[in-house]
């Protein structure tokens, strides 16, 4: 039959012209698309042979072949799969899409940059037609398995295409591209280069089930035909049974995708079947990368669709607080041209993400109980990052709290979990006590710790910067409220102890009422209130925050990020049992009304506040004045 000539639809022709003129910056994907089409054709043939015993085809050596000819500048991708009939060619290849083309072209014209154009191309899904990004002419030759005649489709992408019936077509499909001249500035590479072809196959199609063959890189010396070699590994470890994969193979895959030369700390396998099928092979690294806390750190796992590589660092599949997790997720029901925008809105992707996150967290929890040493390594390297999830992932907050570890006054060297803390709590204790600070040493020597140490209450010591933030948004664990020992009022007495000291405290409140009122007035510029303390046993005074106030450390963090936050006045607590404070009370009572004595007392009150501020690690508003006052007082003692 003579060749028939057809015209592309108007919108389809416009779309082809846009593609040909390089709106897609990564032209390498054309080969991925062609190989993927061939892989699908081989899958369909294998399935057809199982369904139809009468199908007369040879399925003993199903494969994909790539032939490159530098002299004629042609590239051919060939398979011996299911092939297509004449009608299928007209229907599937003759048109780009059945609907939506006009709207797509309009959106493409309105896209202001190449990145937006790429996203639109990805959403629409061009598949076979991506060949025109690199070729001046495309020829498709195909014969359906079981049919006697084949079909040739040919086009230069300028507006028309021809379709003709041929008698000598082999079973399967071959796509031959007459390549455009190389133009590296336009990222149009030499696609007849064996090195370039191997690179693309290794990157995008390494785990395709079927062998991808091309001329061997080297043959026997003097041989005219170097033979062929398989250029993809076909080792989709996630698709193989767990028993058939060795630890060395897992390690090799981890190193390949993570660019890390150390062994992974833990390997996680997942397989979901049903309405939405996917397989996942995830790795927990054994050490944190240097750029883990940098803004441009790449996160996410690799996304495959039916073993075809789609994208690196698929952020939609892994939250930022698990950005250290590496691995592969292979979905069965996604489009090959799915874009990052679509992934962020896809319900199935969200479902996958939730399951992956839960699996990672449960794996860490199991690791903590079954292999404490391995868990210790994990927490040392990634604990700071994982705690970010307490701010980001409300759904899994309890699971994250279960696997967190903290320093504690209960153990000078080891770490403890919140669960272990709760099990050790004193009878009648309703709060989990903690303190935040720059170092363990600074917190252990803090005045805030005195009463807790004296009464034997365990305190968690939180030193990571993220601790300052998450404790503000996590109210409790296992029904026990988290309570900062440097905020609000502290009541550590039992009911019996309260009865014993109640009268004494009321007496102290009456005796110190005048001093407290006066000091609150004198220090009003710096403090919200001056009151008696129940947390001090040794120090004369300390600075505390009100129950719901932002801590100074958090204030500084916000300012460092460029956020303006109002300065929050704090509370000065006095120890009525300390000689300095009781002496100050007597001096105030004796010198009330005397101008000179009142001025000197005001300086003493200022010194008490400065000492409390320094012991808390704070900064003095006027260090030079504090030094002069302190030197003056020391001079009088000599």
């Amino acid at each position: 039959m003579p060749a028939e000539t057809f015209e592309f639809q108007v919108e389809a022709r416009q779309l082809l012209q846009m593609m040909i003129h390089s709106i897609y910056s990564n032209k390498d994907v054309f080969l991925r698309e062609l190989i993927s089409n061939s892989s699908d054709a081989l899958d369909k043939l294998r399935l057809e042979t199982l369904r139809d015993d009468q199908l007369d085809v040879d399925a003993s050596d199903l494969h994909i072949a790539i032939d490159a000819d530098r002299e004629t500048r042609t590239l051919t991708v060939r398979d011996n799969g299911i092939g297509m009939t004449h009608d299928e060619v007209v229907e599937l290849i003759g048109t780009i899409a059945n609907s939506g083309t006009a709207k797509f072209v309009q959106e493409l014209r309105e896209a202001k940059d190449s990145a937006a154009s790429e996203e639109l191309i990805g959403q629409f899904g061009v598949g076979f037609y991506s060949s025109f990004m690199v070729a001046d002419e495309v020829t498709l030759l195909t014969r359906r398995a079981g049919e006697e005649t084949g079909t040739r489709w040919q086009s230069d992408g300028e507006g028309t295409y021809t379709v003709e019936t041929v008698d000598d077509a082999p079973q399967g499909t071959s796509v031959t591209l007459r390549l455009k001249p190389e133009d590296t500035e336009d990222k149009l590479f030499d696609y007849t280069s064996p090195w370039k072809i191997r690179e693309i196959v290794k990157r995008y199609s390494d785990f395709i089930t079927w062998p991808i063959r091309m001329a061997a890189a080297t043959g026997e010396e003097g041989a005219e035909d170097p033979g062929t070699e398989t250029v993809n590994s076909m080792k989709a470890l996630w698709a193989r049974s767990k028993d058939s994969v060795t630890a060395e193979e897992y390690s090799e895959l981890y190193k390949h995708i993570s660019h890390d030369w150390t062994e992974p700390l833990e390997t996680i396998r997942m397989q979901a079947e049903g309405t939405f099928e996917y397989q996942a092979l995830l790795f927990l690294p054994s050490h944190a990368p240097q750029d883990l806390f940098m803004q441009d750190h790449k996160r996410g796992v690799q996304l495959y669709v039916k073993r075809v590589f789609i994208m690196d660092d698929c952020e939609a599949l892994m939250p930022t607080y698990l950005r250290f997790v590496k691995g592969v997720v292979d979905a069965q029901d996604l489009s090959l041209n799915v874009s990052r925008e679509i992934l962020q809105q896809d319900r199935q992707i969200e479902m996958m993400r939730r399951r992956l996150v839960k699996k990672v967290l449960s794996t860490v929890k199991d690791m903590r109980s079954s292999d404490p040493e391995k868990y210790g390594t994990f927490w040392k390297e990634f604990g700071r990052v994982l705690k970010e999830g307490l701010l980001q992932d409300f759904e899994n907050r309890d699971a994250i709290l279960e696997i967190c570890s903290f320093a504690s006054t209960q153990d000078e060297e080891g770490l403890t979990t919140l669960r272990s803390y709760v099990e050790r709590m004193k009878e009648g204790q309703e709060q989990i006590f903690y303190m935040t600070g720059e170092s363990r040493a600074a917190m252990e020597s803090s005045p805030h710790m005195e009463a807790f140490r004296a009464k034997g209450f365990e305190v968690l010591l939180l030193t990571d910067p993220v601790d300052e933030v998450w404790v503000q948004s996590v109210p409790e664990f296992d029904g026990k409220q988290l309570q900062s020992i440097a905020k609000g009022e502290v009541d550590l007495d039992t009911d019996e102890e309260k009865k014993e000291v109640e009268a004494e405290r009321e007496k102290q409140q009456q005796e110190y009422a005048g001093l407290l009122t006066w000091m609150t007035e004198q220090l009003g510029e710096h403090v919200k209130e001056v009151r008696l303390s129940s947390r001090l046993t040794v120090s004369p005074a300390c600075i505390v925050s009100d129950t719901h106030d932002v801590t100074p450390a958090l204030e500084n963090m916000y300012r460092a990020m460029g956020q303006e936050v109002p300065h929050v006045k704090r509370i000065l607590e006095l120890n009525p049992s300390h000689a300095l404070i009781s002496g100050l009370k007597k001096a105030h009572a004796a010198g009330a009304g005397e101008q000179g004595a009142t001025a000197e007392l005001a300086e003493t009150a200022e010194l008490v506040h400065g000492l409390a501020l320094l012991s808390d690690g704070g900064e003095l508003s006027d260090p030079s004045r504090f030094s002069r006052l302190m030197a003056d007082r020391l001079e009088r003692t000599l």
Side-chain angles (χ1 to χ4, degrees):
M1 292 178 61
E4 298 177 86
T5 301
F6 300 89
E7 285 193 8
F8 288 113
Q9 299 171 5
V10 175
E11 296 87 352
R13 186 162 61 248
Q14 292 172 346
L15 177 57
L16 268 175
Q17 289 304 309
M18 290 182 184
M19 290 184 60
I20 291 168
H21 290 91
S22 306
I23 58 173
Y24 204 121
S25 62
N26 183 12
K27 298 176 177 61
D28 292 355
V29 296
F30 85 91
L31 188 53
R32 179 194 77 178
E33 296 290 338
L34 295 181
I35 291 174
S36 179
N37 289 344
S38 292
S39 177
D40 286 343
L42 294 168
D43 287 338
K44 289 175 181 176
L45 179 62
R46 181 175 59 179
L47 185 60
E48 193 69 20
T49 58
L50 295 174
R51 290 176 176 173
D52 185 358
D53 295 337
Q54 305 301 317
L55 189 63
D56 185 20
V57 296
D58 180 9
S60 61
D61 183 28
L62 300 181
H63 65 278
I64 301 167
I66 301 176
D67 297 323
D69 190 326
R70 285 195 164 179
E71 292 185 6
T72 60
R73 287 201 55 76
T74 59
L75 178 70
T76 300
V77 178
R78 181 183 301 107
D79 67 74
N80 55 349
I82 192 69
M84 289 180 283
T85 64
H86 181 280
D87 291 342
E88 286 174 333
V89 169
V90 173
E91 179 184 355
L92 299 176
I93 304 298
T95 57
I96 289 184
N98 294 325
S99 63
T101 313
K103 179 182 177 184
F104 170 74
V105 170
Q106 181 63 31
E107 291 178 349
L108 197 57
R109 284 173 174 164
E110 294 172 357
K112 295 182 179 179
D113 54 38
S114 60
S117 298
E118 289 182 25
E119 291 294 335
L120 287 168
I121 286 284
Q123 288 180 36
F124 189 77
V126 293
F128 169 79
Y129 280 88
S130 59
S131 302
F132 285 101
M133 294 189 292
V134 301
D136 286 324
E137 183 181 76
V138 177
T139 302
L140 177 141
L141 182 64
T142 184
R143 178 170 67 85
R144 173 84 180 189
E147 297 279 328
E148 293 184 359
T149 58
T151 304
R152 179 184 289 113
W153 180 100
Q154 192 169 37
S155 177
D156 59 6
E158 293 295 329
T160 63
Y161 58 91
T162 62
V163 180
E164 63 179 315
T165 300
V166 292
D167 296 325
D168 56 350
Q171 174 196 305
T173 302
S174 68
V175 180
T176 300
L177 313 182
R178 194 179 71 203
L179 296 168
K180 296 178 180 180
E182 182 180 359
D183 184 354
T184 53
E185 289 186 4
D186 192 31
K187 297 183 180 179
L188 182 62
F189 302 106
D190 179 9
Y191 294 110
T192 64
S193 163
W195 173 86
K196 183 62 179 176
I197 295 171
R198 284 180 171 82
E199 180 214 339
I200 297 173
V201 171
K202 193 70 177 174
R203 176 168 176 77
Y204 290 106
S205 308
D206 194 48
F207 300 120
I208 289 289
T209 310
W210 309 103
I212 302 172
R213 298 171 184 166
M214 59 183 295
T218 56
E220 294 182 10
E221 189 174 346
E224 293 183 7
D225 182 6
T228 61
E229 64 176 347
T230 299
V231 292
N232 62 320
S233 71
M234 297 183 288
K235 291 184 178 179
L237 303 185
W238 56 88
R240 291 162 53 185
S241 65
K242 187 175 182 180
D243 297 336
S244 68
V245 185
T246 66
E248 290 74 18
E249 286 177 308
Y250 282 135
S251 177
E252 183 182 342
L253 176 62
Y254 166 72
K255 292 174 182 178
H256 172 70
I257 63 180
S258 68
H259 308 293
D260 182 8
W261 297 110
T262 61
E263 300 293 318
L265 186 68
E266 188 69 27
T267 301
I268 305 171
R269 287 182 62 117
M270 279 187 71
Q271 182 163 338
E273 298 178 346
T275 55
F276 185 56
E277 296 184 5
Y278 64 90
Q279 296 161 315
L281 184 56
L282 307 178
F283 300 97
L284 301 182
S286 55
H287 69 92
Q290 293 182 344
D291 62 347
L292 186 63
F293 292 96
M294 295 182 182
Q295 196 168 12
D296 57 353
H297 173 77
K298 291 184 177 179
R299 66 179 177 88
V301 296
Q302 291 185 348
L303 176 64
Y304 283 72
V305 174
K306 297 178 182 177
R307 302 193 189 182
V308 178
F309 177 76
I310 301 300
M311 67 179 71
D312 262 325
D313 311 308
C314 182
E315 298 176 359
L317 286 172
M318 202 61 63
T320 55
Y321 73 91
L322 294 179
R323 57 185 175 272
F324 52 85
V325 176
K326 301 298 180 184
V328 171
V329 176
D330 188 358
Q332 301 301 310
D333 304 308
L334 290 176
S335 164
L336 282 176
N337 289 298
V338 68
S339 69
R340 292 185 185 272
E341 271 187 1
I342 289 179
L343 286 175
Q344 291 169 358
Q345 302 166 2
D346 191 277
R347 186 184 63 83
Q348 292 178 326
I349 289 291
E350 176 60 26
M351 182 175 65
M352 287 172 59
R353 172 188 169 116
R354 293 172 67 181
R355 290 179 180 174
L356 292 171
V357 169
K358 289 183 184 298
K359 183 64 174 179
V360 171
L361 296 180
S362 66
T363 299
V364 176
K365 184 179 180 180
D366 293 341
M367 187 196 304
R368 193 190 67 206
S369 56
S370 62
D371 196 336
E373 184 177 348
K374 187 183 288 188
Y375 167 80
T377 300
F378 168 83
W379 188 256
K380 177 184 176 184
E381 297 294 327
F382 304 108
R384 287 175 60 191
V385 188
L386 191 71
K387 285 187 284 189
E388 293 176 11
L390 296 171
L391 297 166
Q392 302 169 4
D393 191 351
F394 180 79
E395 179 183 353
N396 292 299
R397 178 177 288 175
D398 290 341
I400 298 172
L401 285 173
E402 285 280 3
I403 60 177
C404 286
S405 290
F406 309 98
S408 163
T409 55
Q410 186 265 344
D411 190 329
E412 292 184 2
E413 296 182 357
L415 301 177
T416 187
T417 64
L418 290 176
R419 180 66 58 195
S420 298
Y421 181 103
V422 170
E423 292 171 356
R424 291 192 299 267
M425 284 172 60
K426 285 175 160 296
E427 185 177 352
Q429 181 182 344
E430 294 299 325
Q431 292 111 352
I432 297 173
F433 296 115
Y434 71 87
M435 185 176 182
T436 59
E438 292 186 359
S439 68
R440 178 177 186 134
M443 286 187 281
E444 287 186 326
S445 61
S446 169
H448 299 112
M449 197 71 72
E450 293 174 2
F452 293 87
R453 185 183 295 112
K455 289 184 173 290
F457 282 92
E458 182 179 353
V459 179
L460 300 177
L461 306 173
L462 312 182
T463 56
D464 291 332
V466 69
D467 292 331
E468 288 284 355
V469 187
W470 73 258
V471 293
Q472 307 292 324
S473 58
V474 178
E476 54 91 25
F477 172 79
D478 195 27
K480 305 295 183 181
Q481 183 182 2
L482 272 70
Q483 174 63 52
S484 170
I485 67 170
K487 293 180 87 173
E489 296 198 48
V490 169
D491 185 3
L492 303 179
D493 294 333
T494 63
D495 291 339
E496 293 183 0
E497 290 172 334
K498 288 177 184 177
K499 292 178 182 178
E500 293 177 4
V501 300
E502 187 175 0
E504 177 66 21
R505 286 187 177 177
E506 287 183 4
K507 181 181 178 182
Q508 287 177 341
Q509 282 294 137
Q510 292 175 359
E511 292 176 350
Y512 281 85
L515 176 66
L516 298 176
T517 302
W518 175 78
M519 286 187 70
T520 299
E521 294 175 355
Q522 290 294 317
L523 300 173
E525 184 180 343
H526 306 290
V527 300
K528 181 187 297 186
E529 177 189 357
V530 180
R531 68 190 183 199
L532 295 183
S533 178
S534 58
R535 74 184 87 214
L536 297 174
T537 60
V538 179
S539 301
C542 69
I543 293 286
V544 300
S545 298
D546 219 344
T547 305
H548 301 293
D549 281 351
V550 175
T551 63
L554 198 54
E555 274 189 53
N556 294 334
M557 286 176 61
Y558 285 139
R559 290 195 179 99
M561 292 186 292
Q563 299 183 31
E564 284 300 321
V565 291
H567 176 67
V568 179
K569 292 183 181 180
R570 303 175 72 199
I571 298 168
L572 176 63
E573 288 192 352
L574 306 179
N575 180 3
S577 302
H578 196 280
L580 174 59
I581 302 304
S582 59
L584 187 59
K585 180 198 70 172
K586 292 177 183 177
H588 174 264
E594 297 182 17
Q595 189 171 354
T598 301
E600 190 169 313
L601 279 175
E603 292 179 352
T604 305
E606 192 176 337
L607 286 172
V608 169
H609 173 255
L611 290 170
L613 197 60
L614 289 173
S615 67
D616 191 49
E619 296 182 2
L620 299 167
S621 58
D622 191 347
S624 59
R625 173 175 170 78
F626 181 84
S627 298
R628 288 197 303 272
L629 292 176
M630 183 60 72
D632 180 58
R633 295 306 167 94
L634 290 173
E635 182 182 348
R636 296 183 195 179
T637 64
L638 299 176

